[in-house]
Amino acid sequence: MSGPVRATPKETVLRSASREVVIGHGRRFCLIGERINPTGRRIFQEQLRSGDLSAIERDVKAQVEGGADVLDINMGVPLTDEADLLERAIRMVQGLTDLPVCIDSSVVEALEAGLAAYEGRALVNSVTAEDERLAQVLPLVKKYDAAVIALPNDADEIPMEADKRLVLTGKIIDVATKEYGIDAADIVIDPLAMPIGADTSMVTTTLETMQRVRDEFGVNMTCGASNVSFGMPARHTLGAAYLPIAMYAGLTSAIMDARTPQIVDAVKAADLLLNHDEWGMAWIAAHRARQAEAV
Amino acid sequence: MSGPVRATPKETVLRSASREVVIGHGRRFCLIGERINPTGRRIFQEQLRSGDLSAIERDVKAQVEGGADVLDINMGVPLTDEADLLERAIRMVQGLTDLPVCIDSSVVEALEAGLAAYEGRALVNSVTAEDERLAQVLPLVKKYDAAVIALPNDADEIPMEADKRLVLTGKIIDVATKEYGIDAADIVIDPLAMPIGADTSMVTTTLETMQRVRDEFGVNMTCGASNVSFGMPARHTLGAAYLPIAMYAGLTSAIMDARTPQIVDAVKAADLLLNHDEWGMAWIAAHRARQAEAV
């Protein structure tokens, strides 16, 4: 195909003690199960505050059964020792599943506690393009040989134009590779999926950002899949149309609730359509498994 | 955005006696309802053979209710006077709905009879890049001031590479505009959506064709939406993932059965996501209408 030279597509390798997951362009989409998170869940918050982590078991099971490839673990409960909670949650999850984890916190000490407890190669969620955040998070990513989700926004408001997001993506990759010796393959860019309800041109800006990040940097990308439909009716239908388009534009993973079959099925369909599922083996096998269940 | 200069997007205007439908890039996707067609329907074929066209009424109603913008009318029954049948069907459909029509036949005489009977600006389905077919069909398109679906394949087998499809698209547009004085806006290219079951790289070739046809020629495109999933399980789920991707790649209409809500909803969702549904008015209105029905 004609056009400018594309950057070589990069692969992000995540590992648990016994399992490897590779995120990459041209590979099957990586579902990062997002449910192990107390945000907006009052009862779960109370349990965690009292030191009861047992609900995690059910959440892990549901995400694994729904088809998650990686599990996002967030223990952000106000007025708790988040580092201690996250460390315990990480240890617990390692006993429940062999899926790699994404360690999710805005508290740097909690990220470090999680990384120290994890036996594998985790994804860190997340860092921004702000100098202070980069200086706090990137040394941990290097020290623990992890990968990191990076948001191309700085101290100003979230950039509404693709150009600015591309500049900040370049800055993050530059700092990570040159100042901290982190491989660009270990930077997973979040192109900042904004709610379409706020402005119906938001998604096209995000899709343009995805195409350009893929073409110019070749790095992997992820996003919070449900953000786009926030505030709109029929959110699952929007999510099921959004992810296939985003995958075509270059998105290689998403943080999403794997318990939503409509959206998971759309991702698997797009994997087949975009030639990431050779011979349609996974698609056909999933269909046969469902038929067998139904009998 | 950087990159090569894009061709100006073109608009295809179709009209019934009282209603206009515009197909265009940046507009809401055009659903061409495909069910008014006896292919594979034995009872309907027998009815038509005996001169009974009454089943058309039900099919028109179902496609209109499903959200079709244009109706494809095909009367291809072996061993019948297809020209006479198509002419009668066109007259009948004009009495049932104000949606514009797509006159669908491989028989040139039938196309002419349909065009002569139609009071409006129809879409002709279809012409190929073969010299003989161009010489038969394009004079009719010009004479009756119609638009035409054109398939970029010639007498050889269907080209499996985007390059060849682009060359043949260029040839068709060249012949139509220079030899017959047809506006390029009235050529709707079918980028040849092939079944993914035959080869899992088929869809990416078709998507590449769509992007390049849009960028190099700016013309509208259509395809048989169900071809892609032929022979695969869970066809509606594949169709619902395929059309949003194809719309992003440049597809502006599809010939499809409007009675499949899963696929129609996916198209409407993609219209919103791709900023063809300002303020999400259509999306929200459709949701409200459904809630009202449910009460």
Side-chain angles (χ1 to χ4, degrees):
Chain A
M1 220 180 136
S2 59
V5 177
R6 285 186 175 195
T8 312
K10 294 176 176 43
E11 300 200 322
T12 309
V13 178
L14 305 179
R15 267 192 298 270
S16 67
S18 60
R19 186 158 168 169
E20 185 173 283
V21 168
V22 181
I23 308 174
H25 299 276
R27 286 178 172 268
R28 281 161 62 192
F29 195 72
C30 177
L31 301 185
I32 305 174
E34 73 175 343
R35 185 68 181 165
I36 304 153
N37 187 333
T39 308
R41 297 169 68 186
R42 196 180 49 80
I43 294 170
F44 190 20
Q45 286 191 13
E46 279 171 19
Q47 289 170 333
L48 292 176
R49 207 173 273 128
S50 71
D52 173 9
L53 278 71
S54 61
I56 289 176
E57 188 166 353
R58 190 193 51 204
D59 286 336
V60 167
K61 188 166 183 288
Q63 293 299 311
V64 171
E65 287 176 355
D69 301 299
V70 172
L71 297 179
D72 187 85
I73 318 284
N74 178 307
M75 289 289 126
V77 183
L79 307 176
T80 58
D81 180 350
E82 189 177 329
D84 175 65
L85 211 49
L86 190 54
E87 181 187 329
R88 289 170 60 204
I90 293 289
R91 291 195 196 284
M92 183 177 174
V93 169
Q94 289 183 100
L96 295 169
T97 175
D98 63 355
L99 296 186
V101 303
C102 177
I103 301 175
D104 182 0
S105 177
S106 55
V107 177
V108 176
E109 294 70 28
L111 288 178
E112 172 138 35
L115 283 163
Y118 191 59
E119 300 164 36
R121 190 157 210 273
L123 185 58
V124 170
N125 186 5
S126 58
V127 71
T128 65
E130 294 164 279
D131 294 328
E132 193 193 355
R133 291 296 293 173
L134 290 167
Q136 287 173 326
V137 175
L138 293 182
L140 295 179
V141 172
K142 180 65 182 174
K143 177 178 174 189
Y144 291 98
D145 185 31
V148 63
I149 296 172
L151 285 67
N153 68 272
D154 54 19
D156 306 330
E157 55 188 12
I158 290 179
M160 287 304 149
E161 290 179 6
D163 282 345
K164 180 82 189 287
R165 297 185 196 177
L166 266 286
V167 167
L168 292 175
T169 294
K171 175 191 169 179
I172 292 165
I173 294 175
D174 227 49
V175 170
T177 54
K178 293 183 185 157
E179 292 184 28
Y180 295 96
I182 296 168
D183 195 330
D186 291 323
I187 311 292
V188 177
I189 295 293
D190 182 332
L192 303 172
M194 308 290 293
I196 192 148
D199 175 346
T200 47
S201 70
M202 282 293 174
V203 173
T204 48
T205 300
T206 303
L207 294 169
E208 184 197 336
T209 306
M210 289 177 188
Q211 283 197 303
R212 291 174 61 185
V213 167
R214 179 189 58 192
D215 292 353
E216 294 177 29
F217 301 104
V219 295
N220 285 301
M221 282 174 271
T222 198
C223 73
S226 64
N227 290 3
V228 163
S229 61
F230 185 78
M232 275 285 167
R235 293 188 64 180
H236 291 344
T237 304
L238 284 173
Y242 173 67
L243 284 178
I245 301 173
M247 289 163 70
Y248 182 57
L251 191 73
T252 50
S253 68
I255 301 176
M256 55 186 276
D257 188 345
R259 296 173 312 164
T260 315
Q262 188 179 354
I263 300 180
V264 173
D265 288 351
V267 165
K268 302 300 179 188
D271 272 335
L272 171 57
L273 295 165
L274 298 174
N275 202 18
H276 303 162
D277 175 8
E278 214 179 356
W279 303 103
M281 294 294 280
W283 183 257
I284 293 166
H287 181 72
R288 285 199 182 140
R290 240 172 250 190
Q291 282 186 317
E293 268 172 32
V295 171
Chain B
M1 223 181 131
S2 60
V5 177
R6 285 187 173 194
T8 312
K10 295 175 175 43
E11 300 201 321
T12 308
V13 178
L14 305 179
R15 266 191 300 268
S16 67
S18 60
R19 185 157 166 169
E20 185 174 282
V21 168
V22 181
I23 309 175
H25 299 276
R27 283 178 175 268
R28 280 161 63 190
F29 195 72
C30 177
L31 301 186
I32 304 174
E34 73 175 341
R35 183 71 178 164
I36 304 153
N37 187 333
T39 307
R41 297 169 70 185
R42 196 178 50 78
I43 294 169
F44 190 20
Q45 286 191 13
E46 281 169 19
Q47 290 171 333
L48 292 176
R49 206 174 274 128
S50 71
D52 173 9
L53 277 71
S54 61
I56 289 176
E57 189 167 351
R58 189 192 53 207
D59 286 337
V60 167
K61 187 166 184 287
Q63 293 299 312
V64 171
E65 286 177 357
D69 301 299
V70 172
L71 296 180
D72 187 85
I73 318 284
N74 178 307
M75 288 289 126
V77 184
L79 307 175
T80 57
D81 180 351
E82 190 178 330
D84 175 64
L85 211 50
L86 190 53
E87 182 187 327
R88 289 171 59 205
I90 293 289
R91 291 195 196 283
M92 182 175 173
V93 169
Q94 290 182 100
L96 294 168
T97 175
D98 63 354
L99 295 188
V101 303
C102 177
I103 301 176
D104 182 1
S105 177
S106 54
V107 177
V108 176
E109 293 71 27
L111 290 179
E112 173 139 34
L115 283 163
Y118 191 58
E119 300 164 34
R121 189 157 210 273
L123 184 60
V124 170
N125 185 6
S126 58
V127 71
T128 66
E130 295 165 278
D131 294 328
E132 195 193 352
R133 291 295 292 173
L134 290 168
Q136 289 173 325
V137 175
L138 294 184
L140 295 180
V141 172
K142 180 64 183 174
K143 178 178 174 189
Y144 292 97
D145 186 31
V148 63
I149 297 174
L151 284 66
N153 68 271
D154 53 19
D156 306 330
E157 53 189 11
I158 289 178
M160 287 304 150
E161 289 178 5
D163 283 344
K164 180 82 189 289
R165 297 184 195 177
L166 266 286
V167 168
L168 292 176
T169 295
K171 175 190 167 178
I172 293 165
I173 293 174
D174 228 46
V175 171
T177 54
K178 292 182 186 158
E179 293 183 27
Y180 296 95
I182 295 167
D183 194 330
D186 290 323
I187 312 293
V188 177
I189 295 294
D190 182 332
L192 302 172
M194 308 290 293
I196 193 149
D199 176 345
T200 46
S201 69
M202 283 293 173
V203 173
T204 48
T205 300
T206 303
L207 294 170
E208 185 197 336
T209 306
M210 289 176 188
Q211 282 196 304
R212 290 175 61 186
V213 167
R214 179 190 56 192
D215 292 351
E216 295 177 29
F217 301 103
V219 295
N220 284 300
M221 283 175 271
T222 197
C223 73
S226 64
N227 290 3
V228 163
S229 61
F230 185 78
M232 276 285 167
R235 292 187 66 180
H236 291 344
T237 305
L238 284 173
Y242 173 67
L243 283 179
I245 300 173
M247 289 164 69
Y248 182 57
L251 191 72
T252 50
S253 69
I255 301 176
M256 55 185 277
D257 189 344
R259 296 173 312 164
T260 315
Q262 189 180 353
I263 301 179
V264 174
D265 288 351
V267 166
K268 303 300 180 191
D271 272 333
L272 171 57
L273 295 165
L274 298 174
N275 201 18
H276 303 162
D277 175 9
E278 213 179 356
W279 303 104
M281 293 293 281
W283 183 257
I284 294 167
H287 181 71
R288 286 201 182 138
R290 240 173 249 189
Q291 281 185 318
E293 268 172 34
V295 172

